[in-house]
Amino acid sequence: MSCDRARRSYPVRVYARRRHVYFAMMGTCIGLFVLAWGVVRLWSVPAAVGMCVVAMVIPPVAAMIANRRGPDDRWWDDPSGDPQSDEWWDELDGKKRPRP
């Protein structure tokens, strides 16, 4: 198992870590809602509402964390499929691609 983990590339590990963080945050969000209205509201409704407000902020933050680009995500180097556009961008970036 440890050999299998060592063979996985860096982007795969980063993606897995982001996915785990996302699911942990979403689990925390659901836990806050359930705890707020199942238990905390019996003692303090304002505290339950505060917990729900905190839980309401978590999903957008979790989505931003899950969808952010990592240092090895080379999305800007990918060719667009339009040869003229790719040639133009390569010229702007100072790269020379061999013409087919």
Side-chain angles (χ1 to χ4, degrees), residues 5-90:
R5 282 189 177 190
R7 288 184 200 149
R8 288 196 290 179
S9 65
Y10 175 77
V12 172
R13 289 190 311 252
V14 170
Y15 175 71
R17 186 177 318 126
R18 279 190 233 153
R19 193 176 58 227
H20 291 148
V21 169
Y22 173 80
F23 284 119
M25 291 179 77
M26 294 306 288
T28 302
C29 174
I30 291 171
L32 280 172
F33 273 118
V34 169
L35 198 63
W37 296 113
V39 178
V40 175
R41 72 170 171 90
L42 300 173
W43 287 280
S44 173
V45 172
V49 170
M51 287 173 69
C52 285
V53 168
V54 170
M56 182 179 65
V57 173
I58 292 174
V61 173
M64 285 186 276
I65 287 173
N67 291 317
R68 74 176 179 226
R69 300 223 185 257
D72 283 349
D73 292 343
R74 303 294 298 211
W75 56 273
W76 60 87
D77 286 344
D78 292 342
S80 67
D82 178 20
Q84 184 177 6
S85 175
D86 291 340
E87 183 180 331
W88 184 74
W89 281 108
D90 287 345

